[in-house]
């Protein structure tokens, strides 16, 4: 029996947290491979995740800083990655671990393993949609608590099923979980979303809260997303946000940084660029202008921001 760590990406969002928490519970309840699974997090929990877990009486996942090399003669730490697969978005020292599984809905980049592994990758709206499907595959029914945690992340990751990443599977799964809980999925998702303390976000939090590193055309490009129900507050502090973008980029040693201020009510993103963002400008067809560029309909970093940038370079 091994003690396996299950975790989502750095700067975790609600999907990264809930996919790890609920997948670890599922694998434990079916005694998958005879292992014991522990959910971890690679950073502080988003406010909505902390609130949902506290309400459910569940402990927050353990904060994992790094994975150290195995001691002489010992087996490497086994891990399951959820909601990511790229080493640049994962734990420090991932190379010291043995990845035995991945449950993800992102592109695969720079990912290799020494041994065969379990990979469940589907281009659905959230990693929690895939975890919900795995309950079915493993002959289990989610408890009401598990259904609630899964549905919360499905809603935050698909921006209440409005993001173009949303598939029919997500809509059907959300309806089923909502029925089990006796809630309307979209109304429930909006409540989860509004439990974020959006009014108190600092420029540093807007930049660093949900940001991922991509290797594009030989450069390191950071792409962040700040989701809000009212972009006007953020747009009133653009000089401070730009300063925070420059500081974050310098701290991470990246070449450029893109920040999408996504307004889920107006259904679009104001896109700000700092540093070397030639690749991003080419991919998005926009220029680096002081106040940023409003891109109507752009809600998904993965599909409408990262993908066109990676495809164009
Ligand atoms: Mn996700």
């Amino acid at each position: 029996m091994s003690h396996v760590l299950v975790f989502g990406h750095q700067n975790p969002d609600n999907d990264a947290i809930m996919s790890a928490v609920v997948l670890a519970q599922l694998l434990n309840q079916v005694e998958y491979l005879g292992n014991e699974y522990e959910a971890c997090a690679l950073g502080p929990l988003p406010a909505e995740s902390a609130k949902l877990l506290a309400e459910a009486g569940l402990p927050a996942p353990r904060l994992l800083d790094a994975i150290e090399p195995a001691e002489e003669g010992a087996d490497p730490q086994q891990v399951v990655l959820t909601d990511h697969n790229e080493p640049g978005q994962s734990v420090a020292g991932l190379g010291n671990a043995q990845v035995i599984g991945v449950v993800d809905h992102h592109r695969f980049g720079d990912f290799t393993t020494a041994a065969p592994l379990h990979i469940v990758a589907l281009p659905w709206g959230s990693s929690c949609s895939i975890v919900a499907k795995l309950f079915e595959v493993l002959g289990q029914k989610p408890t009401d608590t598990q259904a609630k945690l899964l549905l919360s992340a499905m809603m935050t990751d698909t921006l209440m099923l409005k993001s173009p990443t949303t598939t029919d599977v997500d809509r059907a799964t959300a309806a089923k979980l909502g029925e089990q809980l006796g809630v309307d999925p979209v109304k429930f998702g909006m409540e989860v979303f509004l439990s974020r303390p959006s009014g108190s976000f600092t420029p540093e939090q807007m930049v660093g809260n949900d940001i991922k590193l991509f290797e594009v055309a030989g450069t390191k490009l950071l792409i962040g997303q700040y989701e809000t129900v009212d972009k006007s507050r953020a747009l009133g502090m653009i000089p401070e946000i730009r300063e925070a973008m420059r500081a974050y980029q310098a701290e991470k040693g990246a070449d450029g940084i893109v920040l999408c201020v996504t307004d889920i009510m107006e259904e679009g993103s104001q896109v700000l660029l700092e540093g070397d963002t030639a690749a991003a400008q080419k991919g998005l067809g926009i220029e680096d202008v002081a106040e940023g560029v409003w891109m109507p309909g752009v809600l998904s970093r993965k599909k409408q921001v990262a993908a066109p940038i990676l495809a164009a370079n």
Side-chain angles (χ1 to χ4, degrees), residues 29-179:
Q29 76 195 45
V30 299
E31 299 178 25
Y32 199 74
L33 303 175
N35 295 327
E36 182 184 272
Y37 299 85
E38 182 191 9
C40 293
L42 302 188
L45 266 56
E48 69 271 26
S49 310
K51 181 164 183 275
L52 285 155
L53 291 174
E55 282 170 2
L58 291 169
R62 178 161 66 91
L63 204 59
L64 185 65
D65 287 330
I67 292 179
E68 306 298 336
E71 312 235 328
E72 189 76 28
D75 291 331
Q77 173 67 56
Q78 295 190 341
V79 302
V80 173
L81 310 181
T82 68
D83 202 36
H84 76 298
N85 66 79
E86 300 191 43
Q89 299 168 4
S90 197
V91 69
L94 182 67
N96 297 322
Q98 183 196 356
V99 181
I100 64 162
V102 180
V103 173
D104 193 15
H105 66 139
H106 294 90
R107 72 162 195 152
F108 272 65
D110 197 18
F111 181 83
T112 58
T113 59
L117 73 164
H118 297 70
I119 289 194
V120 188
L122 290 157
W124 293 350
S126 71
S127 292
C128 278
S129 311
I130 306 173
V131 176
K133 173 56 78 177
L134 290 177
F135 271 85
E136 232 176 279
V137 171
L138 295 172
Q140 303 289 305
K141 183 180 186 287
T143 62
D144 285 357
T145 295
Q146 288 169 333
K148 190 172 177 183
L149 301 181
L150 290 172
L151 185 61
S152 78
M154 291 184 61
M155 289 299 122
T156 51
D157 238 39
T158 62
L159 298 176
M160 270 55 83
L161 304 174
K162 283 194 285 195
S163 167
T165 56
T166 311
T167 66
D168 287 343
V169 178
D170 298 299
R171 282 181 275 269
T173 307
K176 196 171 150 194
L177 294 173
E179 198 179 324

